[in-house]
């Protein structure tokens, strides 16, 4: 594997020595991102695709992922915060871009000035209008309705009023209602009935908005699981996050079964390899003891790197074999039991060997799904929480010809 020599946590030496291989890295394959965007855009067609790149593109790096997604056919970008949207604009990305989670501290003026579309659940409207007046530029807004998730979005009771006010401001030229949207609660569990209820509510609010004179360019409801399993939720635009990173939103289906390729590989190298006697306790709490004479491998990643502390048993592949983490995961490190290798008696030491926590799973290797199971969480959290202490290494930066 080769890495670009330009970026990341290792400073180039003053003596122009060759850049050393990374001690730890999250390798981000932009060709996998492009593949997944093409796959999801085909599933969504004729609806357009918004690539959701909030939270630094679920830990993959917002700017390179946004560029790759646009290259592969995404026509919109989505983020939670206005600050995330402004960072994309500052990087020169001028695609349609929506931010939907605000506080009274959010910089609506900067959003209007940068041509960032603003999700509006109700209270934001007056602030958005004030920002439009101040910037002497109409705001672009997407009205958000809560069809059942119980988070952001106007309640169905408040919808009439919000739509009426927005139309008045639109008539005054202060804003344009570009979109109407809502978010699904249980699309990852296709057998549950609530998605149908949310869809019916969404159709109802669209009719109300239409009657009030709103004619949005884009009506959008679907996330990754709905994009893959519910064509009736696609409308004009789907908002896809998890899938573009190549991960499955469904418990019973793998990435490969969905035609997706996980884009992030987290790996490091073995930091210590030593023989220990039977009964050796391992890591804080001594919760694991070697069942016999054994060889321990030290893996220099821990919860400060974003490996969940609760994920004892999570897989690490070294030299083609996948081992479970034994004992507690610490801030900087964790341990695998390599079996009795007798390194002191001439057995091959694995010091410095590549250790992979998860990758694309193509060759039977460990996956983010495995770590999610070990941690009692979902794959979203596994990739998103990989911390800034793990340098991102982008590969396949330019599209294949
Ligand atoms: C995060 C988010 C998405 C993307 O969801 P995925 O399940 O990752 O596809 C879509 N819409 C909204 C409002 C979101 O917050």
């Amino acid at each position: 594997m080769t890495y670009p020599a330009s970026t990341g946590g290792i400073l180039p030496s003053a003596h122009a020595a060759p850049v050393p291989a990374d001690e730890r890295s999250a390798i981000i394959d932009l060709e996998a991102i492009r593949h997944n965007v093409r796959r999801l855009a085909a599933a969504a067609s004729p609806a357009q695709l918004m690539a959701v790149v909030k939270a630094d593109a679920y830990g993959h790096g917002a700017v390179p992922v946004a560029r790759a997604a646009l290259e592969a056919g995404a026509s919109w970008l989505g983020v939670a915060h206005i600050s995330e949207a402004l960072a994309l604009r500052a990087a020169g990305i001028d695609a349609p871009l929506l931010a939907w989670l605000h506080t009274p501290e959010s910089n609506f003026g900067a959003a209007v000035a940068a041509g960032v579309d603003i999700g509006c659940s109700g209270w934001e409207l007056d602030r958005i209008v004030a920002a439009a007046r101040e910037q002497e530029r109409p705001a672009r807004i997407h009205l958000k309705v809560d069809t059942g998730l119980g988070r952001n979005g106007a309640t169905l009771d408040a919808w009439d009023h919000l739509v009426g006010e927005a139309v008045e401001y639109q008539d005054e030229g202060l804003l344009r209602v570009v979109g109407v949207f809502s978010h699904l609660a249980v699309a990852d569990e296709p057998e549950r009935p609530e998605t149908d209820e949310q869809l019916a509510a969404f159709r109802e609010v669209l009719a109300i908005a239409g009657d009030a004179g709103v004619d949005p360019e884009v009506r959008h409801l679907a996330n990754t699981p709905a994009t893959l399993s519910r064509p009736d939720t696609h409308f004009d635009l789907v908002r896809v996050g998890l899938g573009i990173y190549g991960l499955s939103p469904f418990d019973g289906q793998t990435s490969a079964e969905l035609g997706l390729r996980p884009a992030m590989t987290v790996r490091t190298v073995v930091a210590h390899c030593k023989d220990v006697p039977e009964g050796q306790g391992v890591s804080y709490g001594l919760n694991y003891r070697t069942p016999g004479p054994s060889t321990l491998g030290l893996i220099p990643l821990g919860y400060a790197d974003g490996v969940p502390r609760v994920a004892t048993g999570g897989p690490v592949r070294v030299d083609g074999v996948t081992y479970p983490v034994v004992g507690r995961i610490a801030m900087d490190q964790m341990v695998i039991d390599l079996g009795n290798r007798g390194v002191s008696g001439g057995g091959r030491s694995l010091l410095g060997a590549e250790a992979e926590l998860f990758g694309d799973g193509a060759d039977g290797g460990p996956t983010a799904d495995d770590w999610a199971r070990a941690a009692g969480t979902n794959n979203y959290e596994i990739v998103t929480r990989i911390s800034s202490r793990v340098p991102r290494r982008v590969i396949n930066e330019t599209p294949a010809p």
Side-chain angles (χ1 to χ4, degrees):
M1 236 169 252
T2 55
Y3 310 115
S6 54
T7 53
I10 297 165
L11 292 173
S13 122
H15 307 293
V19 174
D22 296 332
E23 295 185 292
R24 53 188 71 73
S25 53
I27 299 159
I28 309 301
D29 183 353
L30 294 187
E31 199 46 49
I33 299 279
R34 289 185 204 98
H35 165 86
N36 298 326
V37 168
R38 286 191 292 265
R39 156 83 180 97
L40 291 154
S45 177
Q48 296 180 284
L49 185 141
M50 172 188 288
V52 177
V53 295
K54 64 190 177 186
D56 203 24
Y58 294 31
H60 295 64
V63 169
V65 167
R67 290 210 176 103
L70 293 167
E71 284 159 6
S75 43
W76 284 77
L77 299 171
V79 293
H81 305 163
I82 286 173
S83 54
E84 295 178 302
L86 297 175
L88 292 168
R89 286 284 186 257
I93 292 169
D94 58 9
L97 171 55
L98 173 64
W100 53 68
L101 180 59
H102 319 296
T103 72
E105 315 279 303
S106 296
N107 193 342
F108 295 105
V112 171
V116 170
D117 290 23
I118 304 169
C120 176
S121 298
W123 67 264
E124 303 95 333
L125 190 62
D126 289 342
R127 315 222 176 200
I128 293 168
V129 164
R133 288 202 165 100
E134 188 188 283
Q135 300 294 325
E136 300 179 358
R137 176 174 175 171
R140 292 168 51 92
I141 71 169
H142 297 231
L143 294 175
K144 185 165 196 187
V145 59
D146 180 2
T147 52
L149 180 59
R151 297 194 325 199
N152 230 334
T155 61
L156 299 177
D157 282 347
W159 182 247
D160 275 343
H161 181 71
L162 175 60
V163 165
E165 276 196 314
V167 167
E168 273 178 40
Y169 288 130
Q170 180 165 275
D171 291 344
E172 287 175 51
L174 289 162
L175 57 79
R176 160 109 186 96
V177 180
V178 175
V180 173
F181 74 119
S182 188
H183 195 32
L184 295 170
V186 297
D188 57 321
E189 301 173 82
E191 66 289 352
R192 287 182 63 165
E194 292 95 333
T195 299
D196 287 331
E197 294 163 18
Q198 288 197 258
L199 178 57
F202 191 58
R203 290 191 191 285
E204 218 170 291
V205 302
L206 286 173
I208 293 169
D211 289 346
V214 173
D215 178 24
E217 285 162 33
V218 284
R219 301 159 298 161
H220 44 113
L221 178 62
N223 53 4
T224 296
T227 298
L228 291 167
S229 70
R230 292 290 302 251
D232 53 346
T233 64
H234 290 178
F235 294 92
D236 307 305
L237 178 67
V238 299
R239 301 185 307 270
V240 181
L242 192 73
I244 71 175
Y245 307 105
L247 300 177
S248 169
F250 303 117
D251 263 347
Q253 268 180 303
T254 63
S255 299
E257 285 164 353
L258 295 171
L260 300 172
R261 296 207 322 243
M264 182 189 289
T265 296
V266 171
R267 42 72 65 198
T268 180
V269 291
V270 175
H272 200 173
C273 183
K274 69 180 180 193
D275 296 335
V276 296
E278 176 179 343
Q280 172 70 54
V282 172
S283 193
Y284 299 125
L286 306 176
N287 295 338
Y288 177 81
R289 289 190 184 273
T290 50
S294 202
T295 305
L296 298 178
L298 185 62
I299 306 301
L301 287 169
Y303 61 78
D305 303 290
V307 181
R309 182 173 175 275
V310 298
T312 296
V316 179
R317 182 164 70 172
V318 180
D319 203 26
V321 181
T322 300
Y323 303 90
V325 170
V326 296
R328 258 185 220 158
I329 293 171
M331 186 180 293
D332 311 307
Q333 50 196 298
M334 56 193 178
V335 176
I336 54 178
D337 186 339
L338 297 164
N340 191 0
R341 303 179 69 88
V343 292
S344 46
R348 188 164 73 88
S349 170
L350 290 173
L351 176 66
E354 172 114 351
E356 181 180 319
L357 273 64
F358 58 86
D360 67 10
D363 47 359
T367 63
D369 296 335
D370 296 329
W371 278 94
R373 265 187 294 280
T377 184
N378 60 11
N379 48 12
Y380 293 75
E381 186 178 349
I382 296 300
V383 289
T384 303
R385 65 185 292 151
I386 296 299
S387 80
S388 59
R389 197 164 76 165
V390 182
R392 270 49 173 185
R393 292 287 176 240
V394 167
I395 62 168
N396 294 321
E397 191 142 21
T398 49

